[in-house]
Amino acid sequence: MKYIDEYRDGDLAKGLAFAIGREAKPDCRYHFMEFCGGHTHAIFRYGIQDLLPANVRMIHGPGCPVCVLPMGRIDGAIHLAKQPGVILASYGDMLRVPGGGRESLLKAKAMGADVRMIYSPSDAVALARAHPDREVVFFAIGFETTTPPTALAIRQAHKEGLSNFSVYCNHVLTPAAISSILEAPSVRDLGTVPLDGFIGPAHVSTVIGSQPYDYFAEEYRRPVVIAGFEPLDVLQAILMLIRQVNEGRFEVENEFTRAVTKEGNMKAKALVAETFEMKRSFEWRGLGLVPYSALAIKRQWDQFDAEARFSVPEFKTEDHKACACGAILRGLKTPADCSLFGTACTPEHPIGSCMVSAEGACAAYYTYGRQRRKS
Amino acid sequence: MKLDLEHGVVEMAHGGGGRAMAKLIETIFLGNFDNPLLAQRNDQACFTMQAGRVAMTTDSYVIQPLFFPGGDIGSLAVHGTVNDLAMAGAKPLYLSAGFILEEGLALRDLAQIARSMAAAAREAGVFIVTGDTKVVEKGKGDGVFINTAGIGVIPDGVAPSGERARPGDAILVSGTLGDHGVAVMSKRENLAFEVDILSDAQALNGLVAAMVAEVPDIHVLRDPTRGGLAATLNEIARQAKVGMELDERAIPIKGAVRAACEFLGLDPLNVANEGKLVAICAGDQAPHLLAVMRAHPKGADSAIIGRVIQDADCFVTLKTAFGGTRMVDWLTGEQLPRIC
């Protein structure tokens, strides 16, 4: 595959691994968090940990939109799917995620709800166009990457006068989640959780640019290296982070220059700002309530807001008591430390958020890294 | 009354046991599957089997779309069952064919499906000797469902079976992986994309005959259909209570299949195949078996992709081309594409 294989080259990986081994000081321990599930997935899928020295540890952050969505919101989507006349359109990896009652959209579908898997919000608009007698609700989730397409879909529906299209909005914001992790007393005041730097998001940063991370580097004195999702990107970013730590720097560096600029995608940002506004607070699985961390549809577009159109009860579901996801997302524990991991909690029957999608730390560890437990 | 193969559709009467049904069977099935056993038109086929071990299998086909690049539900229904027999090392002889037709299915499509079943059977050297037709109301089926059962004879000294994989054995595949799954997905209604990939659906009994003639003691043969190579190897590892180590660089996958999987967020090792097999044999016999497979037109891209090891956890692991190691696990539920 042109322009992809180049970023997965085994020989180049060896060279980078050698440089990391040479530059990582043997008497130092390095703890880096990759925020994004895309990076977590790459680290496990390509076995990147095998190429790192023992004193460089990766902490898998909360950047998996499927994982951090609280079960109550999934129950909300299932509730919408069951309304008479509704077609619920959803991205594929949301379908299997269980809500509070252990029901999922796939199970609701099996029981007769009309749930359709789509690839793009424009597919949901097309469904609304093709079924004027039905109510099409798009289950919108994701970070800043998937928000502009949702905004576009709302604009398109408005332009076409589609009165049967609406969006169940669950878009969340990256910087707020990073703040929440860094603000935790264990990181900020007590220093009991070492967190020496961040690998910054790839696709999210193509939209928001590298600028929003300046604050973290300055305020929390932690280096940030924005990196692509390919395995060589990840290795290169780790090397850049080690260099910053060794030199006592805490800057925002951009490894992903082929796609990320300082300002980001101005057009997309403007579109999002015109369509959405901040929610005062939003619940994240694993992180709890995070202020100003999610988006709601602006009032002027509320004819397209499924929550304004249908009455969606607020479902409250607590995470399992023994679940260690919150601690894992904050770097306090690893998946193997959790008593539920691999026994009660598996990808087939996920109990915690990190097990529900391939991008979650526990699912990636279970699917790709279980053999490591032995060594 | 003549069947209107150009504009006609399947009606409830075609399953009613009356003249309409007889006409449908005569025109579409008997004409295409023409053979002396079927021509007797009894409720069963009677034949003599030679002494020895016999293999029997059944499989139902419910694929959508019915027609896909490189095949259709008809050819698949023959290839799939022939291959299930061949994976016992058997020479497939006879098939049955049961059709569940949905009211409204175009007779033109049904005739096309029957023609490709006949062509696939001819090519594989098997006969469709008995059958059944039912019609269900519109909305109660998906165009057509086909069940085929098959029977074949196994040569003496040939006994491949999942539990026979042993540490030290070599793992071979007969060609590129993921072609069928990607070809079918590219034509799904909500997923249409342009890709220059044909399904690999084909009968493997010829290839297997060549393999067991040269290396009769093949320990395991299996076709990695649903769930792909990953599911097949995990099944075998569990059956034989062994582990496996694969080398990603050695696994043949077409560039276009890798690209499509990349785009859809799928792992080619989980994607279905319909014309490929996995063979496991003693390590010292592997080079010879590989040469035999490569010499056959249906095994030209064969490769040795890994080895069987001792492992109480029955893990299948992969040395990545990037230089790391990872598990190759079963799929969780249905294969669903990722968001980003």
Side-chain angles (χ1 to χ4, degrees):
Chain A
M1 286 175 292
K2 222 173 165 187
Y3 308 125
I4 290 198
D5 289 337
E6 289 86 340
Y7 297 100
R8 296 176 186 177
D9 185 285
D11 293 331
L12 290 175
K14 262 186 218 150
L16 273 172
F18 180 76
I20 289 171
R22 191 184 53 212
E23 299 200 23
K25 295 181 184 164
D27 52 339
C28 242
R29 293 187 69 78
Y30 302 85
H31 304 84
F32 300 130
M33 173 179 279
E34 83 279 4
F35 179 82
C36 268
H39 287 130
T40 307
H41 191 257
I43 286 169
F44 280 96
R45 173 153 187 189
Y46 298 96
I48 289 175
Q49 198 77 49
D50 293 336
L51 300 170
L52 300 177
N55 58 338
V56 177
R57 193 188 136 205
M58 300 309 295
I59 298 165
H60 317 301
C64 158
V66 177
C67 302
V68 295
L69 195 67
M71 285 188 274
R73 300 296 289 183
I74 293 163
D75 289 333
I78 294 169
H79 174 82
L80 282 166
K82 287 179 174 172
Q83 299 310 302
V86 163
I87 298 175
L88 188 99
S90 167
Y91 293 127
D93 46 5
M94 282 313 298
L95 298 180
R96 203 164 31 224
V97 183
R102 307 302 293 156
E103 201 179 4
S104 64
L105 285 169
L106 273 186
K107 283 186 187 156
K109 180 169 179 252
M111 297 298 288
D114 194 346
V115 178
R116 314 271 180 106
M117 184 185 82
I118 54 159
Y119 263 85
S120 150
S122 63
D123 295 341
V125 175
L127 276 173
R129 201 181 295 129
H131 300 279
D133 53 330
R134 306 280 300 274
E135 280 283 341
V136 174
V137 179
F138 171 52
F139 184 14
I141 78 150
F143 287 93
E144 290 87 341
T145 328
T146 50
T147 311
T150 303
L152 266 184
I154 290 174
R155 299 308 181 86
Q156 184 64 27
H158 175 70
K159 202 168 130 192
E160 293 183 33
L162 293 173
S163 58
N164 63 330
F165 175 79
S166 61
V167 172
Y168 181 45
C169 181
N170 294 279
H171 285 297
V172 287
L173 301 168
T174 307
I178 297 182
S179 280
S180 158
I181 290 165
L182 287 168
E183 277 293 343
S186 55
V187 175
R188 184 144 213 208
D189 305 327
L190 306 172
T192 46
V193 176
L195 199 50
D196 305 312
F198 278 95
I199 294 184
H203 295 171
V204 162
S205 305
T206 63
V207 177
I208 68 174
S210 67
Q211 207 157 22
Y213 308 101
D214 287 345
Y215 169 75
F216 302 108
E218 272 171 42
E219 174 70 18
Y220 300 99
R221 304 172 72 86
R222 298 287 200 291
V224 177
V225 176
I226 295 160
F229 280 147
E230 293 300 325
L232 280 181
D233 290 322
V234 177
L235 274 185
Q236 176 71 37
I238 292 170
L239 180 61
M240 290 164 77
L241 283 170
I242 289 173
R243 284 181 181 159
Q244 286 209 43
V245 171
N246 287 351
E247 291 161 18
R249 290 186 289 127
F250 34 85
E251 296 163 12
V252 176
E253 290 181 314
N254 184 5
E255 184 276 341
F256 198 26
T257 49
R258 64 187 187 276
V260 172
T261 61
K262 195 158 181 61
E263 297 75 28
N265 184 333
M266 302 299 281
K267 210 168 164 183
K269 287 202 298 193
L271 184 69
V272 168
E274 286 162 20
T275 317
F276 300 97
E277 61 192 19
M278 296 263 223
K279 279 185 182 169
R280 290 179 68 87
S281 109
F282 190 73
E283 192 194 337
W284 292 52
R285 272 185 99 169
L287 296 181
L289 281 175
V290 181
Y292 298 105
S293 64
L295 297 174
I297 295 168
K298 273 190 170 170
R299 185 158 294 177
Q300 70 185 98
W301 304 102
D302 70 359
Q303 68 196 97
F304 298 106
D305 186 348
E307 287 175 274
R309 230 176 144 103
F310 302 88
S311 82
V312 186
E314 203 167 308
F315 296 91
K316 273 276 171 212
T317 315
E318 299 282 318
D319 284 345
H320 192 285
K321 281 197 180 65
C323 170
C325 282
I328 292 167
L329 294 180
R330 293 177 185 279
L332 292 161
K333 287 187 176 175
T334 69
D337 295 332
C338 176
S339 63
L340 303 175
F341 177 82
T343 51
C345 185
T346 62
E348 280 80 13
H349 299 284
I351 289 175
S353 58
C354 306
M355 193 60 100
V356 295
S357 150
E359 296 181 6
C362 294
Y365 191 93
Y366 186 91
T367 309
Y368 294 131
R370 232 146 69 234
Q371 81 286 1
R372 267 179 240 290
R373 265 185 137 173
K374 298 197 288 189
S375 49
Chain B
M1 184 184 71
K2 210 166 165 275
L3 271 190
D4 181 359
L5 286 182
E6 202 41 50
H7 305 292
V9 296
V10 169
E11 296 163 25
M12 291 308 292
H14 287 130
R19 213 170 271 138
M21 182 164 127
K23 194 83 203 162
L24 180 88
I25 292 174
E26 237 166 63
T27 316
I28 294 189
F29 299 131
L30 290 180
N32 282 305
F33 304 161
D34 185 34
N35 64 69
L37 283 171
L38 188 66
Q40 290 172 1
R41 305 189 68 167
N42 289 322
D43 285 350
Q44 65 292 113
C46 301
F47 46 81
T48 311
M49 298 282 289
Q50 68 190 64
R53 293 177 72 223
V54 169
M56 186 180 169
T57 187
T58 182
D59 210 336
S60 298
Y61 300 85
V62 296
I63 195 167
Q64 270 300 334
L66 299 176
F67 300 90
F68 50 83
D72 59 41
I73 190 170
S75 56
L76 192 63
V78 171
H79 292 142
T81 297
V82 162
N83 290 346
D84 281 347
L85 291 172
M87 294 310 122
K91 174 184 188 322
L93 296 175
Y94 305 116
L95 301 187
S96 71
F99 295 86
I100 296 174
L101 309 176
E102 185 188 7
E103 186 183 18
L105 173 72
L107 289 175
R108 194 177 53 235
D109 287 349
L110 183 61
Q112 176 56 44
I113 289 164
R115 274 197 298 276
S116 37
M117 282 183 87
R122 246 192 324 275
E123 202 257 341
V126 296
F127 297 103
I128 299 168
V129 293
T130 187
D132 178 56
T133 307
K134 296 281 187 311
V135 178
V136 294
E137 282 170 36
K138 193 162 182 64
K140 302 254 169 94
D142 207 355
V144 52
F145 298 142
I146 303 177
N147 172 279
T148 52
I151 194 163
V153 291
I154 307 173
D156 286 341
V158 173
S161 181
E163 83 284 349
R164 293 191 58 211
R166 288 282 167 271
D169 283 1
I171 306 166
L172 297 87
V173 293
S174 66
T176 54
L177 297 176
D179 300 6
H180 174 73
V182 165
V184 171
M185 266 183 267
S186 73
K187 294 297 168 211
R188 290 241 163 104
E189 188 188 4
N190 58 348
L191 214 68
F193 56 91
E194 292 289 327
V195 62
D196 205 10
I197 286 286
L198 296 182
S199 163
D200 60 0
Q202 58 179 347
L204 295 169
N205 52 326
L207 173 63
V208 169
M211 289 164 67
V212 297
E214 285 291 318
V215 183
D217 192 28
I218 295 175
H219 294 173
V220 186
L221 280 174
R222 197 159 294 179
D223 52 344
T225 52
R226 273 175 304 175
L229 181 74
T232 297
L233 292 184
N234 274 289
E235 271 167 29
I236 298 170
R238 194 181 280 189
Q239 255 181 296
K241 302 187 177 59
V242 294
M244 296 184 187
E245 277 178 356
L246 310 180
D247 177 1
E248 188 173 31
R249 286 178 201 250
I251 301 175
I253 299 170
K254 284 183 181 141
V257 169
R258 286 178 58 211
C261 286
E262 190 68 35
F263 172 68
L264 296 170
L266 305 175
D267 183 343
L269 300 186
N270 292 133
V271 177
N273 309 278
E274 287 293 347
K276 299 290 153 49
L277 61 80
V278 173
I280 297 179
C281 71
D284 56 358
Q285 295 195 312
H288 182 46
L289 184 60
L290 179 67
V292 172
M293 290 167 74
R294 284 193 173 161
H296 194 278
K298 290 183 177 175
D301 296 323
S302 295
I304 298 174
I305 59 164
R307 62 197 187 98
V308 178
I309 57 163
Q310 203 154 10
D311 179 10
D313 289 316
C314 307
F315 285 161
V316 179
T317 62
L318 176 82
K319 177 96 181 137
T320 68
F322 197 67
T325 306
R326 71 163 167 98
M327 291 268 301
V328 177
D329 208 2
W330 309 76
L331 261 185
T332 302
E334 204 188 342
Q335 191 165 44
L336 297 172
R338 288 166 43 220
I339 296 181
C340 57

